[in-house]
Amino acid sequence: MKIYAFEEAGGPARESTVATPRPSGHEVLLRLTHSGVCHSDVHIRDNLTLPFPVVAGHEMAGEVVAVGEDVTTTKPGDVRLVFPWLGCGTCQDCRAGNDDRCPDQRPLGVTAYGGYAEMVHIPHERYLLDSTGIDTGWAATLACSGLTAYAAVSKALRGDPDDEIVVLGTGGVGLMAVAVLRALGHRRVTAVDVNAERLAMARELGAADTVDSSAEGALEALCRVTGGGAVGVIDFVNNGTTARLAFDALRRDGKLVQVGLFGGELTLPTALMPVKRLTLQGSYVGTLTELREVVELARSGRLPRTPLITRPLTAEGVNASLDDLAKGAVPGRIVLTA
């Protein structure tokens, strides 16, 4: 089968051919028809610590072509969505569907071959979800942007649909978070970004207010539209500048959920944490159960489809897409198609 692999840190994806895996036991072989492109793949491409070659891509959907002798939940010809955030597969957390807690992480597209390939080997049938009724290209993006947004939103919400929730950063995942919030019935969503086009898209998806964080007085504007501060801020950028803005925009009993991987530093005023009873929590992707919930939300019709840009699943398609993401030139989500 063809793969499009990074052979050194910072280098381009190159096409090569490897032996096609033969599934046994509970394993499944999937022919990929759609592979989403995530900004974290830019970090993976440029990472000096990963063992190369790396076949990235963790938003995957396609057709089952072969199954092991013990597989009972799917068969050749079925169209399936892949949950890529795998642990060891055998510990108590993994068996319970909480692979994200496993200390031995083995995510597809990071430490194991992922979606920038003709096929992908799935180590157990439980990591495949039936996405019938959902456009397959959009379904692929649910495995990361959908799941990451849903898990982060779940941490920020407290139950009142009029609580002030801020989505900081309206790239593909941030826009999905706005859509998820509205799909769950939340009414007070403020989107924050430096890009006017993306803020307009956030409004189309249901954001009640928007704030340009590059403008002078951004914090004051954010506090004004949230009526004095937010109950929850979800930071999908998470560099030093956005983390400071997010923290300062919290009201008493507020929670900052940090999601983005841009990196930076945040110096916390330790006395203010107990005085304002603030919570700081990280959120990284989500669980298999949460992905099932996202799929059901999409199937219900309440979750609006976010904008998709389609390109061919080739080395050229991978490289052009990651270069555009690195430049911040992608309004929406790229999906590579076979």
Side-chain angles (χ1 to χ4, degrees):
M1 67 181 193
K2 291 180 181 178
I3 61 172
Y4 310 106
F6 303 122
E7 298 172 356
E8 69 277 337
R14 294 187 175 95
E15 180 183 316
S16 60
T17 303
V18 297
T20 303
R22 295 183 178 181
S24 62
H26 287 279
E27 299 168 353
V28 177
L29 184 66
L30 199 74
R31 181 181 64 82
L32 291 164
T33 59
H34 298 83
S35 291
V37 182
C38 180
H39 199 284
S40 61
D41 291 335
V42 176
H43 301 299
I44 290 169
R45 177 191 65 180
D46 298 340
N47 194 314
L48 295 173
T49 63
L50 287 174
F52 288 90
V54 174
V55 178
H58 47 262
E59 296 184 340
M60 297 172 278
E63 180 183 344
V64 174
V65 293
V67 300
E69 63 276 9
D70 297 326
V71 171
T72 60
T73 59
T74 191
K75 64 184 183 304
D78 288 344
V79 175
R80 290 293 184 264
L81 167 65
V82 179
F83 175 81
W85 309 109
L86 313 188
C88 67
T90 59
C91 70
Q92 182 176 349
D93 281 326
C94 288
R95 293 197 306 273
N98 297 317
D99 293 68
D100 58 317
R101 298 179 185 172
C102 178
D104 186 11
Q105 292 290 297
R106 305 176 187 180
L108 302 176
V110 184
T111 61
Y113 282 6
Y116 299 159
E118 282 188 314
M119 301 186 191
V120 64
H121 174 252
I122 311 300
H124 198 286
E125 60 188 295
R126 65 172 171 262
Y127 299 121
L128 295 177
L129 290 80
D130 185 354
S131 57
T132 301
I134 308 171
D135 174 80
T136 306
W138 184 45
T141 70
L142 299 180
C144 180
S145 68
L147 176 60
T148 300
Y150 183 85
V153 163
S154 299
K155 294 176 176 68
L157 289 179
R158 293 201 307 212
D160 187 335
D162 290 312
D163 280 342
E164 295 286 349
I165 302 294
V166 171
V167 172
L168 209 167
T170 53
V173 187
L175 288 173
M176 179 66 81
V178 174
V180 167
L181 282 159
R182 296 297 291 135
L184 295 175
H186 201 79
R187 291 189 285 263
R188 286 298 309 166
V189 182
T190 297
V192 180
D193 204 294
V194 299
N195 184 289
E197 181 182 4
R198 291 200 292 260
L199 289 176
M201 294 168 68
R203 279 193 176 274
E204 291 174 4
L205 288 169
D209 289 291
T210 58
V211 172
D212 180 350
S213 56
S214 67
E216 186 176 352
L219 176 60
E220 290 76 10
L222 184 53
C223 290
R224 183 173 62 254
V225 299
T226 57
V231 168
V233 180
I234 312 171
D235 187 355
F236 289 101
V237 181
N238 199 30
N239 61 25
T241 301
T242 61
R244 182 78 263 164
L245 175 63
F247 183 84
D248 290 343
L250 292 172
R251 66 175 58 187
R252 188 176 178 84
D253 287 317
K255 176 186 279 192
L256 168 55
V257 180
Q258 295 184 307
V259 185
L261 300 175
F262 279 77
E265 300 290 336
L266 173 62
T267 301
L268 294 176
T270 55
L272 197 59
M273 292 293 293
V275 169
K276 291 185 68 175
R277 301 186 305 209
L278 301 176
T279 301
L280 177 64
Q281 184 173 5
S283 185
Y284 184 71
V285 297
T287 67
L288 181 57
T289 297
E290 286 173 321
L291 182 55
R292 293 192 183 103
E293 293 169 357
V294 174
V295 168
E296 288 306 311
L297 191 62
R299 189 177 282 127
S300 74
R302 301 198 308 276
L303 184 64
R305 174 174 165 168
T306 50
L308 297 183
I309 301 166
T310 58
R311 292 178 177 173
L313 180 54
T314 61
E316 293 77 11
V318 170
N319 292 324
S321 298
L322 292 181
D323 288 343
D324 286 346
L325 281 174
K327 292 183 290 188
V330 181
R333 203 72 174 175
I334 298 174
V335 176
L336 304 178
T337 59

